[in-house]
Amino acid sequence: MTAHHASPSVPPHRYVIIGNGVAGNQAAEGLRSRDPEGLVTIITNNRLLFYNRYLLPLLFRSHKDWRELQSHSADYYQKHRIRVIRDVRVTAVDAGRRQVMLAHKEPITYDTLLVATGGRSYLPEELADSRHLLNSFGTYEQAMAVKKALPDRGTVVMLGGDMIGLDLARTLLSIDCRVVLVTHETTFWPHQVTPEVRMEFLNVLRDMGMDVIDGDAAGGVTAIEPGTAGLPARRVVFRQGGDVYGDVVMPFYGLVPSVEFMMGSGTDIERGILVGTNLRTNDNHIFAAGDVCQIWSEQEHAYRFYYGYQNVRAMGAVAASNMTGGNEHFAITQNGSLRRDGHGHIDSSFWAYD
Amino acid sequence: MKATDIQIALCGSAGDGTIAAGDILRNAVARAGYRVISFDVYPPEIRGFGKCISRVRITTEQSYALKRQSDVFVSLDDSHAIPHVGEVRPDGAVIFESQPVATVAEGHHISGHIHPGHIPYGIPLRELSEKSTGGGRSRNLVVLGYIAGLLGLAAEHFLSIIEKKFTKQGSEVVSRNQAGFHAGFQAGAATFKLDNVFFTPLGAPHGSEQVVMLSGNAAVAQGCMDAHLDTFFGYPITPATSIMERLAVALPKRGARLLQTEDEISAMAASIGAGFAGARAATATSGPGLALMSEMIGLATMAEVPCVVFVSQRGGPSTGMPTKTEQSDLNAALYGSPGDSQHIVIAPTNVEGCYRCAGKAFEMAERYQTPVIVLLDLYLSNRYETVTLAVSGPPFNLNANKPRPRLEAGEVYKRYALTDDGISPRAIPGDAGCMHVITGLEHNELGRPSDQEEMHAAMSRKRHDKLLGALQHPDFTVSKRFGDPGRVKVGLLSWGSTFGECLEAMFMAQAEGIPCAAMKVVMLAPFPVQPVADFMADCDVVLVPECNYEGQFAHLVQGILAKPVVRLSRVPGSPMPVEAILGEVRRLARGAVTAIAS
Ligand SMILES: Cc1cc2nc3c(=O)[nH]c(=O)nc-3n(C[C@H](O)[C@H](O)[C@H](O)COP(=O)(O)OP(=O)(O)OC[C@H]3O[C@@H](n4cnc5c(N)ncnc54)[C@H](O)[C@@H]3O)c2cc1C
């Protein structure tokens, strides 16, 4: 079913998608097929077209140019008439005027808006001043910076240890790097684990060769400092005394939804943007999908996040359908807990993608 | 290792410092040892809001033309840059202002126009400029720094060129601009480079030559100076003016003279007068000025007075398009003067050629006692190239035809003596025993007016035949063939600035496996009949690309050689795109046999 069809007298419908990730791109594809005449614009603060971030750990195993990670070629966007405005940041949404404001002070008008800005890695406040000494791992550029900073068989200190970090950790171990994990309540995020399961899987990590430091017992990390001459480049200092050195220190404390620019738009926000199972916000013209949104759960009587590639992709498809007049509802496609693979190593449904 | 071949285009509005940035860039990379070809496009207004584009191609070996697609494209003004954003090659970089000072109307920011195959680099140029220099005016320097930092070019050459460029405005301006450059450099160095643009390190320079950066007009001025020009008369006209401007500075330093006359007629007349008096003289103009000079050129032809006219063509006719390039004054240069007014016309094909042709023009003018027109065009006048000069000194013969020594008593001096090669002994007023008359009237050997049929025929023949010697003029390339030897499918026959594009197209065609050759014709009058005929005989089909509407050179070739050529005549106001020539070569290569058969 296609709801919006431009006739000569009706101007084409303007769909604007903020975010160039899994959800945004899935939605763009759906919008294009459901409304061939519509104007589809993706806005992103990334320089690159959509690429598979799940593959970033592989950069450490073999050289991969970013082109090899790209999900779609440039031709794809041209062929499907999907405009991608890159390397620009959305600073606000004026729901009254139906305009997205860009950091360079240009408004982009929409008829229907999809917010699919995902999340960015969370950094505890006490580490804010040490940001420049930490290496993030959200983009290709950041991954390459880590690769450059990490010597052969070097040491990575992982703070937190969410599932994004642990995915990288298993790759680093496989290339004989040393991985020191400083645990935190976000270890194994987004999995919510009982203390027993947590213990079990920390031991699994130890068995895999990881050094595990109990972050709570150490009183938490108070500072990151540049390493002194003759020692690795970074020193992680614990509140209770003691320290650990690494060539690279990486925070993996889970994600926080990127919603700041939506403040003032009139859209309901808790931690993420609140939507119903049809992914519509309280504004009829605004939808949200992916890591940025909290979806109403009838069972739990609460808004909750659903992570994982398949969930996020399904959200993109549902949003596209409903933005073009459909009436579909998001149903969870991917759930699961921590498990072990055939080698006894840690595994998770979170790491599955197709 | 792959050789360096990077083209950077900067686009902005007049006042943004676009051309200045291009100038610093080309000089800095040339100082680093790279070869450069560069061309600026700017608006006809002296100052206003017109579009300015500076394109700089940087290579390991000298290249011959700009590429159609740049590797890096900078927008300093999106309203001008948006229509050009498609000129970036796939995976190329587009650098733009991410923090404009004012609100941007929807659809008017370049970010929405960048193709998915390009890499965007949104940089807070204004902010970086303000933070580092206290004002937003150094955005052009910030962006240069950003490019240098991003591409891994050393800052030192940029900093010294910036110092040189702004030193007259005081040390504060120098350090402000250097600070802007630094801020950009740091931002560029901290940016992860996603595009595959690389500068390959260079080998040691060759000791027997020095490489300098010159524009076509600067090369002409340098050639004039190295040929010991005595006197220059001129009247300003775009795009020839900068020849005069440069000589106005250089000539007095050597005790020589430059006079700005009231118009082009006077400039030409004064040059003839100086030539008559034995001085090495020249003038420079463009199409409209050439029209005014045409009668005087006839006088110089008739009176056999050496003089050199540099003509830089622009879009015509009449006032035409003063800031756009064209090759449409060929007919005027060849035939513009009434009567059988034969003279020498030479057209350099690159900046180095501008230097050589300028110096050699004086040799020829004096040797053959005739006006010599050196035909440039705006593209050649204004484009910059790295030029290799021999450290051993200028390659010009300063004694090509010295006035004859004093006569012995009883000897009769015949200024227009009919000789085997048509060249008569030259004397200057005041040489003892060499009193003679010069006149625009037809004359006898003594210079006295004569309208005798035989004398007119003999003098016409003399004026014609003496020029043929120029086809063998020492150390001068009259024409030259490049590319595949022997039989080829397509031959490119070209003149002037378009030859660079032909050569690039030929290389590309060869790389595609098309047997291809190219010939440049530098001497257009007298015409090198034999080499061109030989070249054409080797080609299944001959293509003549040129920037004029009627195919003036094609006419010339066909008129002289009576052989068919395929024309590619265009008047885009800009250089002929290499791709247009290549497309035609491909088409002809596919159907070359049928083209001949039909
Ligand atoms: C290295 C890495 C590995 C990961 N591995 C896994 C994994 O194995 N399994 C898994 O389930 N998840 C993984 N994730 C998380 C996964 O990326 C997300 O669950 C999923 O991609 C979310 O998709 P999304 O479309 O909601 O948002 P994202 O993919 O995060 O895309 C959000 C987009 O919005 C843009 N954006 C944000 N704010 C703005 C703004 N203000 N203006 C303009 N653009 C903006 C961003 O640049 C980005 O393009 C990983 C993430 C990273 C970084």
Side-chain angles (χ1 to χ4, degrees), chain A residues 18-25 43-46 48 50 53-57 88-91 102 116-120 137-139 163-165 167 189-190 252 255 258-261 289-292 306-310 312 334 349-353:
Chain A
I18 313 176
N20 188 30
V22 180
N25 275 273
I43 302 169
T44 174
N45 53 12
N46 273 341
L48 296 178
F50 175 46
R53 295 198 295 178
Y54 298 51
L55 297 180
L56 288 180
V88 301
R89 201 166 43 84
V90 174
T91 51
L102 304 181
T117 43
R120 54 180 158 56
F137 192 65
T139 64
M163 294 309 290
I164 298 171
D167 190 19
W189 178 98
F252 284 107
L255 300 178
S258 303
V259 290
E260 301 73 12
F261 62 93
D291 286 1
V292 77
Y306 296 89
Y307 296 104
Y309 177 85
Q310 280 143 19
V312 169
Q334 181 184 11
S349 62
F350 184 77
W351 291 336
Y353 65 88

Side-chain angles (χ1 to χ4, degrees), chain B residues 335-422:
Chain B
Y335 315 119
S337 199
D340 279 328
S341 175
Q342 294 127 350
H343 47 258
I344 293 173
V345 180
I346 53 178
T349 58
N350 57 18
V351 173
E352 194 156 336
C354 290
Y355 172 76
R356 290 197 138 262
C357 281
K360 288 286 173 184
F362 295 104
E363 280 182 23
M364 290 182 204
E366 288 165 23
R367 173 92 190 99
Y368 311 106
Q369 298 171 50
T370 184
V372 175
I373 295 180
V374 183
L375 208 47
L376 310 133
D377 57 42
L378 182 141
Y379 177 36
L380 203 45
S381 282
N382 287 4
R383 91 182 189 206
Y384 287 79
E385 281 174 30
T386 33
V387 174
T388 308
L389 301 178
V391 284
S392 53
F396 306 133
N397 175 6
L398 303 178
N399 300 306
N401 188 355
K402 276 216 159 226
R404 53 160 303 141
R406 293 163 169 266
L407 289 196
E408 299 303 324
E411 216 180 319
V412 177
Y413 175 59
K414 289 182 178 172
R415 172 69 187 91
Y416 300 105
L418 295 165
T419 60
D420 287 346
D421 61 5

Side-chain angles (χ1 to χ4, degrees), chain B residues 314-592:
Chain B
R314 64 193 211 185
S318 188
T319 310
M321 303 192 292
T323 57
K324 301 285 173 199
T325 196
E326 209 159 275
Q327 294 180 286
S328 51
D329 293 339
L330 177 60
N331 284 347
L334 292 171
Y335 315 119
S337 199
D340 279 328
S341 175
Q342 294 127 350
H343 47 258
I344 293 173
V345 180
I346 53 178
T349 58
N350 57 18
V351 173
E352 194 156 336
C354 290
Y355 172 76
R356 290 197 138 262
C357 281
K360 288 286 173 184
F362 295 104
E363 280 182 23
M364 290 182 204
E366 288 165 23
R367 173 92 190 99
Y368 311 106
Q369 298 171 50
T370 184
V372 175
I373 295 180
V374 183
L375 208 47
L376 310 133
D377 57 42
L378 182 141
Y379 177 36
L380 203 45
S381 282
N382 287 4
R383 91 182 189 206
Y384 287 79
E385 281 174 30
T386 33
V387 174
T388 308
L389 301 178
V391 284
S392 53
F396 306 133
N397 175 6
L398 303 178
N399 300 306
N401 188 355
K402 276 216 159 226
R404 53 160 303 141
R406 293 163 169 266
L407 289 196
E408 299 303 324
E411 216 180 319
V412 177
Y413 175 59
K414 289 182 178 172
R415 172 69 187 91
Y416 300 105
L418 295 165
T419 60
D420 287 346
D421 61 5
I423 298 170
S424 311
R426 183 182 173 207
I428 56 170
D431 281 353
C434 294
M435 186 109 82
H436 65 280
V437 175
I438 71 155
T439 169
L441 288 168
E442 184 58 289
H443 44 256
N444 63 17
E445 289 181 278
L446 294 168
R448 307 234 164 86
S450 164
D451 58 3
Q452 297 279 310
E453 181 188 342
E454 300 78 31
M455 188 52 67
H456 181 47
M459 285 294 166
S460 295
R461 192 179 325 111
K462 163 189 164 48
R463 287 190 291 267
H464 175 268
D465 286 355
K466 69 173 181 178
L467 300 185
L468 296 177
L471 290 167
Q472 263 80 47
H473 191 83
D475 298 325
F476 187 77
T477 305
V478 163
S479 64
K480 190 169 177 182
R481 176 181 172 152
F482 298 79
D484 293 330
R487 186 118 209 110
V488 291
K489 278 212 155 173
V490 184
L492 289 156
L493 188 60
S494 174
W495 69 285
S497 65
T498 301
F499 180 70
E501 276 67 19
C502 287
L503 209 50
E504 290 283 335
M506 182 199 78
F507 289 138
M508 291 161 93
Q510 284 181 316
E512 292 177 14
I514 300 173
C516 192
M519 175 174 262
K520 68 171 176 181
V521 181
V522 179
M523 187 163 285
L524 301 163
F527 192 79
V529 178
Q530 200 52 52
V532 176
D534 292 347
F535 174 72
M536 291 177 73
D538 272 351
C539 307
D540 287 355
V541 58
V542 173
L543 177 66
V544 180
E546 56 187 320
C547 287
N548 58 57
Y549 187 74
E550 300 206 315
Q552 297 181 12
F553 182 61
H555 268 312
L556 178 71
V557 173
Q558 285 188 317
I560 293 173
L561 291 164
K563 284 194 173 166
V565 297
V566 177
R567 290 149 193 258
L568 181 60
S569 310
R570 296 252 180 112
V571 280
S574 51
M576 176 86 68
V578 172
E579 281 70 14
I581 302 172
L582 181 63
E584 212 41 25
V585 170
R586 285 191 191 120
R587 190 182 70 79
L588 293 171
R590 277 199 303 271

Side-chain angles (χ1 to χ4, degrees), chain A residues 212-262:
Chain A
V212 179
I213 296 176
D214 185 337
D216 282 343
V221 176
T222 52
I224 316 290
E225 293 172 357
T228 37
L231 290 167
R234 299 283 180 265
R235 176 177 177 238
V236 178
V237 185
F238 299 108
R239 184 160 287 120
Q240 305 283 29
D243 55 17
V244 60
Y245 281 87
D247 300 296
V248 175
V249 181
M250 303 177 76
F252 284 107
Y253 293 110
L255 300 178
V256 283
S258 303
V259 290
E260 301 73 12
F261 62 93
M262 289 300 285

Side-chain angles (χ1 to χ4, degrees), chain A residues 88-319:
Chain A
V88 301
R89 201 166 43 84
V90 174
T91 51
V93 169
D94 184 335
R97 289 195 171 136
R98 286 195 215 151
Q99 283 186 331
V100 167
M101 285 308 300
L102 304 181
H104 58 255
K105 306 188 191 78
E106 181 190 11
I108 303 285
T109 310
Y110 62 83
D111 295 309
T112 311
L113 175 68
L114 174 66
V115 181
T117 43
R120 54 180 158 56
S121 58
Y122 166 70
L123 194 66
E125 232 179 272
E126 59 269 26
L127 293 183
D129 290 344
S130 309
R131 194 184 293 269
H132 63 290
L133 297 171
L134 294 168
N135 276 85
S136 301
F137 192 65
T139 64
Y140 174 79
E141 292 94 320
Q142 288 168 347
M144 292 304 284
V146 175
K147 193 175 172 183
K148 198 172 158 200
L150 189 61
D152 206 22
R153 294 165 184 258
T155 301
V156 174
V157 180
M158 265 186 196
L159 308 180
D162 60 24
M163 294 309 290
I164 298 171
L166 294 181
D167 190 19
L168 172 64
R170 51 182 189 159
T171 303
L172 293 174
L173 290 172
S174 76
I175 57 163
D176 295 331
C177 285
R178 183 175 164 232
V179 180
V180 180
L181 174 68
V182 181
T183 63
H184 182 260
E185 62 191 36
T186 52
T187 306
F188 303 119
W189 178 98
H191 294 289
Q192 284 165 347
V193 287
T194 60
E196 297 74 38
V197 173
R198 181 181 166 94
M199 258 324 157
E200 177 193 344
F201 277 92
L202 286 178
N203 283 330
V204 169
L205 296 179
R206 285 193 186 95
D207 291 346
M208 286 168 67
M210 224 177 278
D211 293 355
V212 179
I213 296 176
D214 185 337
D216 282 343
V221 176
T222 52
I224 316 290
E225 293 172 357
T228 37
L231 290 167
R234 299 283 180 265
R235 176 177 177 238
V236 178
V237 185
F238 299 108
R239 184 160 287 120
Q240 305 283 29
D243 55 17
V244 60
Y245 281 87
D247 300 296
V248 175
V249 181
M250 303 177 76
F252 284 107
Y253 293 110
L255 300 178
V256 283
S258 303
V259 290
E260 301 73 12
F261 62 93
M262 289 300 285
M263 306 293 174
S265 67
T267 312
D268 288 343
I269 299 172
E270 193 184 87
R271 282 173 56 223
I273 297 173
L274 302 183
V275 291
T277 48
N278 59 3
L279 304 187
R280 198 186 288 267
T281 65
N282 57 321
D283 180 322
N284 273 343
H285 301 280
I286 303 180
F287 291 74
D291 286 1
V292 77
C293 69
Q294 280 174 270
I295 304 174
W296 177 251
S297 162
E298 207 46 66
Q299 276 168 322
E300 298 173 34
H301 267 265
Y303 288 97
R304 60 160 288 197
F305 289 101
Y306 296 89
Y307 296 104
Y309 177 85
Q310 280 143 19
N311 284 334
V312 169
R313 212 166 68 137
M315 286 184 226
V318 168

